[in-house]
Amino acid sequence: MSRPLAAIERFLSQAGFDRGPWLTVAFAGGIVTWFALPSPPFWVGFCGLCVVFATTGMAPWPGREAYPRLRKAALVLPLLAMAGCLTIWTRSEIVGEVPLERPFAGSFTARVLDIQPQPALGRDRLILAMREPDGGRSIKIRLNVTRTDAAAPVGIGDIVRFRGRLMPPAPPMLPGAYNFARTAWFSGIAGSGSALGEVQVVRQGEPGGGRLSGLRRALSDHIRERIGEERAGIASALVTGDRGGITEADDEAMRDSGLAHLLSVSGLHVSAVVGAIYVLVVRVLALFPWLALRVRLPMVAAAVGALAGVAYTLISGSEVPTVRSCIGALLVLVALALGREPLSLRMLAVAAFCVMLLWPEAVTGPSFQMSFGAVLALVALTTAGPVRAFVAPRDELLAARALRHLAMLLLTGIVIDLVLMPIGLFHFHRAGIYGALANVLAIPLTTFVVMPLLAGALVLDVLGAGWPLWWLAQSAIDLLTGLAHWFASRPGAVAILPAGANGAFLVFVAGGLWIGLWSGRVRWIGLPPALLGAGLLAVASPPDILVSGDGRHVGLVEAGGQRLFVLRDGGEGYARDNLRELAGMEGDPVPLNRWPGAHCNRDFCALPLKREGGTWRLLVSRGRDAVPERALAAACDRSDIVISDRWLPGSCRPRWFKADRGLLNRTGGLAVHLSERRLATVADGEGEHGWWRPSEPGPATIPDPPR
């Protein structure tokens, strides 16, 4: 063992690196491990294994003095990984709320905790505190209320009465789909639903309740009044973080053009506000020589900029990306005030660690990964030797300097786009191809034109003189949305891929972290795994069969991935969008009865699926009428797979498995890869975490396919 240990020690001593970021990575690794492992015994076992590794670093084994760096890594990294696992476990136990056991319908009374306007969808979203209908415990629910005159007077703190239907938070419809149940668990939400009819105010709350939320809504309403409904959605998103007014067409165009990050208040917006205030305060105070000679202006400007950043974070809703950006901006201000390097890996690591301490569940979300991935790529690029030499000051013409900065801006956009594209494809299954070019135009437009115009218009409205800036802001937002629609409409503007494997994404992340956190030539060791992970995501094949958790929605992917056939063609909707997204397809699905070789009647569809290794025969139920058991048993006997949204008798025995209501209540949605003879279930990815509540107890195992 001495030779490999000596090689690792020599590598650690010769490679230039900063230890702080790797400590944060170890902490994040513990959090991710908690999500990946299925149950408490595994979590305890992981923590015990970390203790064993840490003990190895402390043990008095012979020759230990020759490996100081290796011993320190063996001691600290496992302990931080264990701390990450215990942190997310603790937070889950503290904030997690047991979901409703079943749907409830009736009349309810609740207190309004928060109001989230969504004018683009014609509704408001209320966060309510109430008693569980049959359990008596205090719970928090999310209620969608159609915008009516009766719902308009509702305020935070009011006691309201409404008729509605409440449901437990929905688990993923399919493996890899959006997991609202997990989001609701860490938000303390036990149920969600919609109001049926009017929402009546029983008693008004105390004046001054929910001041920040009220201020956000007042600002959004003021912006909507000044700039019009069409542009108010994007303007409100930039000022208050309220995205409820963005139209579906603009939202889709911003996403497909790679500009969706501009609509989420994060690093770009916070840094623009803080940077503008910092420069403005320094410039103004420098006009007074007496003050400039007696006061350290960077300290004063940093303090004012910090207050502005915190205020902007609070007004915009204090979402995780905004808090992360605020922490990073505060660290940059401290570095500037002390004369230190403002943008560094250590600053990024501290900001990430602070966010993970407060919201450890954010590590698995796209917002955290894309935010820190973009900043990590930016730091790694700007600290590289060739880049530093390229942007170093030199004696040259102004035009040449401008071209160098433009080339650097384009290079930065391309690098960040390459880093964020696999993350976007993994989480959303689509990404904009022209994002780098679009951002070169849109980021300066947003940072230096749109946001200053909006801020100036709001300030001048105090004097009643903001209308010229509002007109200019309208034009600038029109230009921004025009850019988004133009790039989104270019041929090949969007890459659409089916749900990829978690393993491929982890390989990409590991390679990206190695490239970003090491320095020198050793960082390029991480390039092959990063390319391998991205390549595996890019070549991921869609499942052959998709089955929703209730069995009502079935999707079959044609060989070659050209068309999606669905059991129920109910027009646009959540189920249809999920089927298309997980299959990695656009366009309208085709009814299942048009599948080649399908034989359908009112009750069932029998159809063949030809894949590598043979032909699979499916039997899919489509009706609700009673079927003679003997005929059903004979049809099941001729099938490899049977799918139904109802309970089927034990006499129905297909060759592989029967996905009826009984099985689906235990497994959740299914994704079947016939060529690989592999089947994924929602239950496989949820384990025994608190937010996963199968409808029926019992084993969720499916037998191996026949050979």
Side-chain angles (χ1 to χ4, degrees), residues 115-127 142-148 193-194 217 220-221 224 229 233 236 241-248:
I115 302 174
Q116 301 168 358
Q118 295 181 323
L121 300 177
R123 71 186 186 191
D124 288 337
R125 178 166 285 171
L126 307 182
I127 306 299
R142 194 184 76 176
L143 185 74
N144 293 328
V145 181
T146 302
R147 285 204 154 190
T148 62
S194 299
R217 285 187 287 118
S220 296
D221 292 340
R224 190 171 297 110
E229 290 285 348
S236 297
D242 177 14
R243 299 181 55 175
I246 301 175
T247 63
E248 183 178 354

PDB file of all heavy atoms in Angstrom, residues 115-127 142-148 193-194 217 220-221 224 229 233 236 241-248:
ATOM      1  N   ILE A 115     -49.841  35.274  -0.357  1.00  0.00           N
ATOM      2  CA  ILE A 115     -50.590  35.373  -1.614  1.00  0.00           C
ATOM      3  C   ILE A 115     -49.581  35.516  -2.747  1.00  0.00           C
ATOM      4  O   ILE A 115     -48.706  36.388  -2.715  1.00  0.00           O
ATOM      5  CB  ILE A 115     -51.550  36.578  -1.613  1.00  0.00           C
ATOM      6  CG1 ILE A 115     -52.533  36.482  -0.442  1.00  0.00           C
ATOM      7  CG2 ILE A 115     -52.300  36.668  -2.930  1.00  0.00           C
ATOM      8  CD1 ILE A 115     -53.420  37.696  -0.298  1.00  0.00           C
ATOM      9  N   GLN A 116     -49.707  34.656  -3.752  1.00  0.00           N
ATOM     10  CA  GLN A 116     -48.807  34.686  -4.903  1.00  0.00           C
ATOM     11  C   GLN A 116     -49.646  34.945  -6.153  1.00  0.00           C
ATOM     12  O   GLN A 116     -50.265  34.018  -6.686  1.00  0.00           O
ATOM     13  CB  GLN A 116     -48.050  33.360  -5.021  1.00  0.00           C
ATOM     14  CG  GLN A 116     -47.224  33.017  -3.797  1.00  0.00           C
ATOM     15  CD  GLN A 116     -46.712  31.592  -3.799  1.00  0.00           C
ATOM     16  OE1 GLN A 116     -46.997  30.820  -4.714  1.00  0.00           O
ATOM     17  NE2 GLN A 116     -45.957  31.242  -2.780  1.00  0.00           N
ATOM     18  N   PRO A 117     -49.689  36.180  -6.634  1.00  0.00           N
ATOM     19  CA  PRO A 117     -50.501  36.477  -7.831  1.00  0.00           C
ATOM     20  C   PRO A 117     -49.948  35.774  -9.067  1.00  0.00           C
ATOM     21  O   PRO A 117     -48.728  35.717  -9.274  1.00  0.00           O
ATOM     22  CB  PRO A 117     -50.391  38.000  -7.961  1.00  0.00           C
ATOM     23  CG  PRO A 117     -49.905  38.482  -6.629  1.00  0.00           C
ATOM     24  CD  PRO A 117     -49.062  37.384  -6.074  1.00  0.00           C
ATOM     25  N   GLN A 118     -50.833  35.247  -9.889  1.00  0.00           N
ATOM     26  CA  GLN A 118     -50.464  34.625 -11.156  1.00  0.00           C
ATOM     27  C   GLN A 118     -51.440  35.099 -12.232  1.00  0.00           C
ATOM     28  O   GLN A 118     -52.259  34.341 -12.747  1.00  0.00           O
ATOM     29  CB  GLN A 118     -50.494  33.094 -11.037  1.00  0.00           C
ATOM     30  CG  GLN A 118     -49.463  32.545 -10.074  1.00  0.00           C
ATOM     31  CD  GLN A 118     -49.497  31.038  -9.986  1.00  0.00           C
ATOM     32  OE1 GLN A 118     -50.552  30.412 -10.028  1.00  0.00           O
ATOM     33  NE2 GLN A 118     -48.333  30.433  -9.866  1.00  0.00           N
ATOM     34  N   PRO A 119     -51.373  36.398 -12.577  1.00  0.00           N
ATOM     35  CA  PRO A 119     -52.343  36.953 -13.529  1.00  0.00           C
ATOM     36  C   PRO A 119     -52.276  36.312 -14.905  1.00  0.00           C
ATOM     37  O   PRO A 119     -53.287  36.250 -15.608  1.00  0.00           O
ATOM     38  CB  PRO A 119     -51.969  38.439 -13.579  1.00  0.00           C
ATOM     39  CG  PRO A 119     -50.561  38.512 -13.084  1.00  0.00           C
ATOM     40  CD  PRO A 119     -50.417  37.407 -12.096  1.00  0.00           C
ATOM     41  N   ALA A 120     -51.087  35.834 -15.313  1.00  0.00           N
ATOM     42  CA  ALA A 120     -50.992  35.208 -16.635  1.00  0.00           C
ATOM     43  C   ALA A 120     -51.819  33.933 -16.714  1.00  0.00           C
ATOM     44  O   ALA A 120     -52.260  33.537 -17.801  1.00  0.00           O
ATOM     45  CB  ALA A 120     -49.531  34.905 -16.965  1.00  0.00           C
ATOM     46  N   LEU A 121     -52.040  33.283 -15.578  1.00  0.00           N
ATOM     47  CA  LEU A 121     -52.865  32.074 -15.528  1.00  0.00           C
ATOM     48  C   LEU A 121     -54.278  32.366 -15.066  1.00  0.00           C
ATOM     49  O   LEU A 121     -55.081  31.444 -14.886  1.00  0.00           O
ATOM     50  CB  LEU A 121     -52.216  31.041 -14.594  1.00  0.00           C
ATOM     51  CG  LEU A 121     -50.812  30.576 -14.989  1.00  0.00           C
ATOM     52  CD1 LEU A 121     -50.258  29.616 -13.943  1.00  0.00           C
ATOM     53  CD2 LEU A 121     -50.824  29.902 -16.356  1.00  0.00           C
ATOM     54  N   GLY A 122     -54.586  33.638 -14.830  1.00  0.00           N
ATOM     55  CA  GLY A 122     -55.926  34.012 -14.404  1.00  0.00           C
ATOM     56  C   GLY A 122     -56.281  33.545 -13.009  1.00  0.00           C
ATOM     57  O   GLY A 122     -57.456  33.236 -12.747  1.00  0.00           O
ATOM     58  N   ARG A 123     -55.309  33.495 -12.105  1.00  0.00           N
ATOM     59  CA  ARG A 123     -55.584  32.993 -10.770  1.00  0.00           C
ATOM     60  C   ARG A 123     -54.600  33.586  -9.776  1.00  0.00           C
ATOM     61  O   ARG A 123     -53.597  34.215 -10.148  1.00  0.00           O
ATOM     62  CB  ARG A 123     -55.487  31.468 -10.736  1.00  0.00           C
ATOM     63  CG  ARG A 123     -54.043  30.949 -10.880  1.00  0.00           C
ATOM     64  CD  ARG A 123     -53.974  29.454 -11.001  1.00  0.00           C
ATOM     65  NE  ARG A 123     -52.580  28.991 -10.992  1.00  0.00           N
ATOM     66  CZ  ARG A 123     -52.189  27.762 -11.294  1.00  0.00           C
ATOM     67  NH1 ARG A 123     -53.102  26.847 -11.644  1.00  0.00           N
ATOM     68  NH2 ARG A 123     -50.911  27.420 -11.250  1.00  0.00           N
ATOM     69  N   ASP A 124     -54.895  33.392  -8.499  1.00  0.00           N
ATOM     70  CA  ASP A 124     -53.983  33.683  -7.401  1.00  0.00           C
ATOM     71  C   ASP A 124     -53.712  32.380  -6.670  1.00  0.00           C
ATOM     72  O   ASP A 124     -54.569  31.489  -6.608  1.00  0.00           O
ATOM     73  CB  ASP A 124     -54.583  34.700  -6.420  1.00  0.00           C
ATOM     74  CG  ASP A 124     -54.623  36.097  -7.009  1.00  0.00           C
ATOM     75  OD1 ASP A 124     -53.837  36.365  -7.931  1.00  0.00           O
ATOM     76  OD2 ASP A 124     -55.452  36.903  -6.559  1.00  0.00           O
ATOM     77  N   ARG A 125     -52.529  32.287  -6.113  1.00  0.00           N
ATOM     78  CA  ARG A 125     -52.167  31.103  -5.324  1.00  0.00           C
ATOM     79  C   ARG A 125     -52.046  31.529  -3.865  1.00  0.00           C
ATOM     80  O   ARG A 125     -51.243  32.404  -3.521  1.00  0.00           O
ATOM     81  CB  ARG A 125     -50.868  30.494  -5.829  1.00  0.00           C
ATOM     82  CG  ARG A 125     -50.386  29.296  -5.051  1.00  0.00           C
ATOM     83  CD  ARG A 125     -49.293  28.572  -5.817  1.00  0.00           C
ATOM     84  NE  ARG A 125     -49.866  27.824  -6.935  1.00  0.00           N
ATOM     85  CZ  ARG A 125     -49.137  27.230  -7.877  1.00  0.00           C
ATOM     86  NH1 ARG A 125     -47.815  27.357  -7.865  1.00  0.00           N
ATOM     87  NH2 ARG A 125     -49.719  26.545  -8.838  1.00  0.00           N
ATOM     88  N   LEU A 126     -52.850  30.908  -3.011  1.00  0.00           N
ATOM     89  CA  LEU A 126     -52.865  31.231  -1.592  1.00  0.00           C
ATOM     90  C   LEU A 126     -52.169  30.131  -0.802  1.00  0.00           C
ATOM     91  O   LEU A 126     -52.387  28.937  -1.060  1.00  0.00           O
ATOM     92  CB  LEU A 126     -54.304  31.377  -1.080  1.00  0.00           C
ATOM     93  CG  LEU A 126     -55.243  32.330  -1.834  1.00  0.00           C
ATOM     94  CD1 LEU A 126     -56.586  32.374  -1.142  1.00  0.00           C
ATOM     95  CD2 LEU A 126     -54.636  33.710  -1.952  1.00  0.00           C
ATOM     96  N   ILE A 127     -51.355  30.530   0.167  1.00  0.00           N
ATOM     97  CA  ILE A 127     -50.782  29.604   1.138  1.00  0.00           C
ATOM     98  C   ILE A 127     -51.572  29.776   2.424  1.00  0.00           C
ATOM     99  O   ILE A 127     -51.621  30.871   2.994  1.00  0.00           O
ATOM    100  CB  ILE A 127     -49.290  29.872   1.370  1.00  0.00           C
ATOM    101  CG1 ILE A 127     -48.530  29.855   0.038  1.00  0.00           C
ATOM    102  CG2 ILE A 127     -48.709  28.853   2.332  1.00  0.00           C
ATOM    103  CD1 ILE A 127     -48.590  28.534  -0.693  1.00  0.00           C
ATOM    104  N   ARG A 142     -51.674  24.638  -0.131  1.00  0.00           N
ATOM    105  CA  ARG A 142     -51.564  25.565  -1.258  1.00  0.00           C
ATOM    106  C   ARG A 142     -52.850  25.497  -2.055  1.00  0.00           C
ATOM    107  O   ARG A 142     -53.246  24.419  -2.502  1.00  0.00           O
ATOM    108  CB  ARG A 142     -50.370  25.184  -2.137  1.00  0.00           C
ATOM    109  CG  ARG A 142     -49.970  26.246  -3.132  1.00  0.00           C
ATOM    110  CD  ARG A 142     -48.857  25.746  -4.024  1.00  0.00           C
ATOM    111  NE  ARG A 142     -49.356  24.809  -5.033  1.00  0.00           N
ATOM    112  CZ  ARG A 142     -48.598  24.284  -5.990  1.00  0.00           C
ATOM    113  NH1 ARG A 142     -47.315  24.569  -6.047  1.00  0.00           N
ATOM    114  NH2 ARG A 142     -49.114  23.446  -6.883  1.00  0.00           N
ATOM    115  N   LEU A 143     -53.494  26.651  -2.234  1.00  0.00           N
ATOM    116  CA  LEU A 143     -54.812  26.701  -2.870  1.00  0.00           C
ATOM    117  C   LEU A 143     -54.772  27.622  -4.076  1.00  0.00           C
ATOM    118  O   LEU A 143     -54.336  28.773  -3.975  1.00  0.00           O
ATOM    119  CB  LEU A 143     -55.862  27.195  -1.873  1.00  0.00           C
ATOM    120  CG  LEU A 143     -57.311  27.184  -2.356  1.00  0.00           C
ATOM    121  CD1 LEU A 143     -57.840  25.750  -2.398  1.00  0.00           C
ATOM    122  CD2 LEU A 143     -58.177  28.054  -1.449  1.00  0.00           C
ATOM    123  N   ASN A 144     -55.229  27.138  -5.215  1.00  0.00           N
ATOM    124  CA  ASN A 144     -55.369  27.951  -6.418  1.00  0.00           C
ATOM    125  C   ASN A 144     -56.770  28.542  -6.464  1.00  0.00           C
ATOM    126  O   ASN A 144     -57.765  27.820  -6.335  1.00  0.00           O
ATOM    127  CB  ASN A 144     -55.115  27.118  -7.674  1.00  0.00           C
ATOM    128  CG  ASN A 144     -53.676  26.663  -7.781  1.00  0.00           C
ATOM    129  OD1 ASN A 144     -52.762  27.362  -7.340  1.00  0.00           O
ATOM    130  ND2 ASN A 144     -53.454  25.493  -8.350  1.00  0.00           N
ATOM    131  N   VAL A 145     -56.851  29.852  -6.638  1.00  0.00           N
ATOM    132  CA  VAL A 145     -58.121  30.568  -6.637  1.00  0.00           C
ATOM    133  C   VAL A 145     -58.243  31.333  -7.951  1.00  0.00           C
ATOM    134  O   VAL A 145     -57.372  32.143  -8.287  1.00  0.00           O
ATOM    135  CB  VAL A 145     -58.216  31.546  -5.447  1.00  0.00           C
ATOM    136  CG1 VAL A 145     -59.556  32.262  -5.458  1.00  0.00           C
ATOM    137  CG2 VAL A 145     -58.011  30.809  -4.132  1.00  0.00           C
ATOM    138  N   THR A 146     -59.299  31.066  -8.686  1.00  0.00           N
ATOM    139  CA  THR A 146     -59.543  31.807  -9.922  1.00  0.00           C
ATOM    140  C   THR A 146     -59.765  33.278  -9.601  1.00  0.00           C
ATOM    141  O   THR A 146     -60.428  33.620  -8.628  1.00  0.00           O
ATOM    142  CB  THR A 146     -60.768  31.245 -10.646  1.00  0.00           C
ATOM    143  OG1 THR A 146     -60.549  29.864 -10.901  1.00  0.00           O
ATOM    144  CG2 THR A 146     -61.002  31.963 -11.963  1.00  0.00           C
ATOM    145  N   ARG A 147     -59.203  34.161 -10.401  1.00  0.00           N
ATOM    146  CA  ARG A 147     -59.308  35.598 -10.146  1.00  0.00           C
ATOM    147  C   ARG A 147     -60.741  36.078 -10.380  1.00  0.00           C
ATOM    148  O   ARG A 147     -61.228  36.122 -11.504  1.00  0.00           O
ATOM    149  CB  ARG A 147     -58.350  36.372 -11.046  1.00  0.00           C
ATOM    150  CG  ARG A 147     -56.905  36.268 -10.589  1.00  0.00           C
ATOM    151  CD  ARG A 147     -56.101  37.445 -11.088  1.00  0.00           C
ATOM    152  NE  ARG A 147     -54.960  37.695 -10.216  1.00  0.00           N
ATOM    153  CZ  ARG A 147     -54.204  38.769 -10.305  1.00  0.00           C
ATOM    154  NH1 ARG A 147     -54.474  39.697 -11.195  1.00  0.00           N
ATOM    155  NH2 ARG A 147     -53.173  38.931  -9.497  1.00  0.00           N
ATOM    156  N   THR A 148     -61.414  36.422  -9.297  1.00  0.00           N
ATOM    157  CA  THR A 148     -62.767  36.973  -9.366  1.00  0.00           C
ATOM    158  C   THR A 148     -62.839  38.168  -8.434  1.00  0.00           C
ATOM    159  O   THR A 148     -61.951  38.406  -7.616  1.00  0.00           O
ATOM    160  CB  THR A 148     -63.812  35.927  -8.938  1.00  0.00           C
ATOM    161  OG1 THR A 148     -63.566  35.559  -7.576  1.00  0.00           O
ATOM    162  CG2 THR A 148     -63.748  34.688  -9.822  1.00  0.00           C
ATOM    163  N   GLY A 193     -54.794  22.174  -3.682  1.00  0.00           N
ATOM    164  CA  GLY A 193     -56.099  22.025  -4.305  1.00  0.00           C
ATOM    165  C   GLY A 193     -56.556  23.304  -4.949  1.00  0.00           C
ATOM    166  O   GLY A 193     -55.784  24.255  -5.127  1.00  0.00           O
ATOM    167  N   SER A 194     -57.836  23.336  -5.294  1.00  0.00           N
ATOM    168  CA  SER A 194     -58.433  24.492  -5.963  1.00  0.00           C
ATOM    169  C   SER A 194     -59.738  24.845  -5.281  1.00  0.00           C
ATOM    170  O   SER A 194     -60.459  23.965  -4.800  1.00  0.00           O
ATOM    171  CB  SER A 194     -58.686  24.192  -7.443  1.00  0.00           C
ATOM    172  OG  SER A 194     -57.485  23.889  -8.113  1.00  0.00           O
ATOM    173  N   ARG A 217     -46.532  42.729  -3.784  1.00  0.00           N
ATOM    174  CA  ARG A 217     -47.752  42.782  -4.595  1.00  0.00           C
ATOM    175  C   ARG A 217     -48.090  44.212  -4.999  1.00  0.00           C
ATOM    176  O   ARG A 217     -48.558  44.466  -6.113  1.00  0.00           O
ATOM    177  CB  ARG A 217     -48.906  42.148  -3.825  1.00  0.00           C
ATOM    178  CG  ARG A 217     -48.820  40.623  -3.781  1.00  0.00           C
ATOM    179  CD  ARG A 217     -50.053  40.003  -3.166  1.00  0.00           C
ATOM    180  NE  ARG A 217     -50.097  40.219  -1.726  1.00  0.00           N
ATOM    181  CZ  ARG A 217     -51.039  40.884  -1.084  1.00  0.00           C
ATOM    182  NH1 ARG A 217     -52.037  41.429  -1.767  1.00  0.00           N
ATOM    183  NH2 ARG A 217     -51.020  41.018   0.218  1.00  0.00           N
ATOM    184  N   SER A 220     -45.783  45.075  -7.828  1.00  0.00           N
ATOM    185  CA  SER A 220     -46.219  44.402  -9.057  1.00  0.00           C
ATOM    186  C   SER A 220     -47.450  45.073  -9.648  1.00  0.00           C
ATOM    187  O   SER A 220     -47.537  45.273 -10.873  1.00  0.00           O
ATOM    188  CB  SER A 220     -46.501  42.925  -8.771  1.00  0.00           C
ATOM    189  OG  SER A 220     -45.324  42.246  -8.364  1.00  0.00           O
ATOM    190  N   ASP A 221     -48.395  45.425  -8.809  1.00  0.00           N
ATOM    191  CA  ASP A 221     -49.595  46.113  -9.305  1.00  0.00           C
ATOM    192  C   ASP A 221     -49.249  47.481  -9.884  1.00  0.00           C
ATOM    193  O   ASP A 221     -49.811  47.897 -10.913  1.00  0.00           O
ATOM    194  CB  ASP A 221     -50.614  46.269  -8.170  1.00  0.00           C
ATOM    195  CG  ASP A 221     -51.187  44.937  -7.720  1.00  0.00           C
ATOM    196  OD1 ASP A 221     -51.099  43.964  -8.495  1.00  0.00           O
ATOM    197  OD2 ASP A 221     -51.707  44.865  -6.579  1.00  0.00           O
ATOM    198  N   ARG A 224     -47.656  46.965 -13.235  1.00  0.00           N
ATOM    199  CA  ARG A 224     -48.662  46.559 -14.213  1.00  0.00           C
ATOM    200  C   ARG A 224     -49.489  47.765 -14.669  1.00  0.00           C
ATOM    201  O   ARG A 224     -49.840  47.885 -15.848  1.00  0.00           O
ATOM    202  CB  ARG A 224     -49.561  45.480 -13.585  1.00  0.00           C
ATOM    203  CG  ARG A 224     -50.486  44.794 -14.573  1.00  0.00           C
ATOM    204  CD  ARG A 224     -51.176  43.611 -13.926  1.00  0.00           C
ATOM    205  NE  ARG A 224     -50.203  42.597 -13.529  1.00  0.00           N
ATOM    206  CZ  ARG A 224     -49.887  42.316 -12.264  1.00  0.00           C
ATOM    207  NH1 ARG A 224     -50.457  42.971 -11.280  1.00  0.00           N
ATOM    208  NH2 ARG A 224     -49.006  41.391 -11.992  1.00  0.00           N
ATOM    209  N   GLU A 229     -50.181  45.174 -19.128  1.00  0.00           N
ATOM    210  CA  GLU A 229     -50.187  43.748 -18.808  1.00  0.00           C
ATOM    211  C   GLU A 229     -49.168  42.973 -19.625  1.00  0.00           C
ATOM    212  O   GLU A 229     -48.549  42.038 -19.136  1.00  0.00           O
ATOM    213  CB  GLU A 229     -51.591  43.178 -19.043  1.00  0.00           C
ATOM    214  CG  GLU A 229     -52.636  43.634 -18.051  1.00  0.00           C
ATOM    215  CD  GLU A 229     -52.485  42.945 -16.709  1.00  0.00           C
ATOM    216  OE1 GLU A 229     -51.726  41.957 -16.629  1.00  0.00           O
ATOM    217  OE2 GLU A 229     -53.122  43.396 -15.739  1.00  0.00           O
ATOM    218  N   GLY A 233     -45.248  41.303 -16.812  1.00  0.00           N
ATOM    219  CA  GLY A 233     -44.757  40.037 -16.284  1.00  0.00           C
ATOM    220  C   GLY A 233     -43.245  40.029 -16.149  1.00  0.00           C
ATOM    221  O   GLY A 233     -42.701  39.692 -15.091  1.00  0.00           O
ATOM    222  N   SER A 236     -42.046  42.808 -13.594  1.00  0.00           N
ATOM    223  CA  SER A 236     -42.251  42.394 -12.202  1.00  0.00           C
ATOM    224  C   SER A 236     -41.268  41.301 -11.806  1.00  0.00           C
ATOM    225  O   SER A 236     -40.791  41.263 -10.660  1.00  0.00           O
ATOM    226  CB  SER A 236     -43.684  41.901 -12.004  1.00  0.00           C
ATOM    227  OG  SER A 236     -44.612  42.939 -12.237  1.00  0.00           O
ATOM    228  N   GLY A 241     -39.352  39.597  -8.368  1.00  0.00           N
ATOM    229  CA  GLY A 241     -39.251  38.148  -8.444  1.00  0.00           C
ATOM    230  C   GLY A 241     -40.566  37.458  -8.724  1.00  0.00           C
ATOM    231  O   GLY A 241     -40.633  36.231  -8.719  1.00  0.00           O
ATOM    232  N   ASP A 242     -41.625  38.210  -8.998  1.00  0.00           N
ATOM    233  CA  ASP A 242     -42.956  37.664  -9.260  1.00  0.00           C
ATOM    234  C   ASP A 242     -43.067  37.307 -10.736  1.00  0.00           C
ATOM    235  O   ASP A 242     -43.157  38.183 -11.595  1.00  0.00           O
ATOM    236  CB  ASP A 242     -44.019  38.688  -8.865  1.00  0.00           C
ATOM    237  CG  ASP A 242     -45.427  38.215  -9.183  1.00  0.00           C
ATOM    238  OD1 ASP A 242     -45.592  37.014  -9.463  1.00  0.00           O
ATOM    239  OD2 ASP A 242     -46.359  39.050  -9.150  1.00  0.00           O
ATOM    240  N   ARG A 243     -43.075  36.000 -11.037  1.00  0.00           N
ATOM    241  CA  ARG A 243     -43.121  35.542 -12.418  1.00  0.00           C
ATOM    242  C   ARG A 243     -44.524  35.143 -12.860  1.00  0.00           C
ATOM    243  O   ARG A 243     -44.713  34.624 -13.947  1.00  0.00           O
ATOM    244  CB  ARG A 243     -42.179  34.344 -12.604  1.00  0.00           C
ATOM    245  CG  ARG A 243     -40.733  34.652 -12.299  1.00  0.00           C
ATOM    246  CD  ARG A 243     -39.842  33.461 -12.525  1.00  0.00           C
ATOM    247  NE  ARG A 243     -39.963  32.926 -13.865  1.00  0.00           N
ATOM    248  CZ  ARG A 243     -39.218  31.925 -14.345  1.00  0.00           C
ATOM    249  NH1 ARG A 243     -38.308  31.360 -13.573  1.00  0.00           N
ATOM    250  NH2 ARG A 243     -39.397  31.479 -15.572  1.00  0.00           N
ATOM    251  N   GLY A 244     -45.506  35.375 -11.994  1.00  0.00           N
ATOM    252  CA  GLY A 244     -46.859  34.939 -12.306  1.00  0.00           C
ATOM    253  C   GLY A 244     -47.507  35.669 -13.461  1.00  0.00           C
ATOM    254  O   GLY A 244     -48.502  35.199 -14.001  1.00  0.00           O
ATOM    255  N   GLY A 245     -46.972  36.842 -13.855  1.00  0.00           N
ATOM    256  CA  GLY A 245     -47.582  37.600 -14.933  1.00  0.00           C
ATOM    257  C   GLY A 245     -46.960  37.365 -16.289  1.00  0.00           C
ATOM    258  O   GLY A 245     -47.390  37.977 -17.277  1.00  0.00           O
ATOM    259  N   ILE A 246     -45.965  36.494 -16.393  1.00  0.00           N
ATOM    260  CA  ILE A 246     -45.310  36.237 -17.678  1.00  0.00           C
ATOM    261  C   ILE A 246     -46.195  35.321 -18.513  1.00  0.00           C
ATOM    262  O   ILE A 246     -46.625  34.261 -18.048  1.00  0.00           O
ATOM    263  CB  ILE A 246     -43.930  35.589 -17.465  1.00  0.00           C
ATOM    264  CG1 ILE A 246     -43.050  36.503 -16.616  1.00  0.00           C
ATOM    265  CG2 ILE A 246     -43.253  35.312 -18.796  1.00  0.00           C
ATOM    266  CD1 ILE A 246     -41.719  35.900 -16.253  1.00  0.00           C
ATOM    267  N   THR A 247     -46.455  35.720 -19.735  1.00  0.00           N
ATOM    268  CA  THR A 247     -47.310  34.914 -20.596  1.00  0.00           C
ATOM    269  C   THR A 247     -46.614  33.615 -20.974  1.00  0.00           C
ATOM    270  O   THR A 247     -45.382  33.513 -20.958  1.00  0.00           O
ATOM    271  CB  THR A 247     -47.680  35.681 -21.874  1.00  0.00           C
ATOM    272  OG1 THR A 247     -46.480  35.948 -22.620  1.00  0.00           O
ATOM    273  CG2 THR A 247     -48.359  37.000 -21.520  1.00  0.00           C
ATOM    274  N   GLU A 248     -47.408  32.622 -21.321  1.00  0.00           N
ATOM    275  CA  GLU A 248     -46.854  31.310 -21.673  1.00  0.00           C
ATOM    276  C   GLU A 248     -45.949  31.400 -22.892  1.00  0.00           C
ATOM    277  O   GLU A 248     -44.898  30.745 -22.955  1.00  0.00           O
ATOM    278  CB  GLU A 248     -47.993  30.325 -21.928  1.00  0.00           C
ATOM    279  CG  GLU A 248     -47.525  28.913 -22.225  1.00  0.00           C
ATOM    280  CD  GLU A 248     -48.670  27.952 -22.423  1.00  0.00           C
ATOM    281  OE1 GLU A 248     -49.831  28.369 -22.211  1.00  0.00           O
ATOM    282  OE2 GLU A 248     -48.415  26.789 -22.796  1.00  0.00           O
TER     283      GLU A 248
END
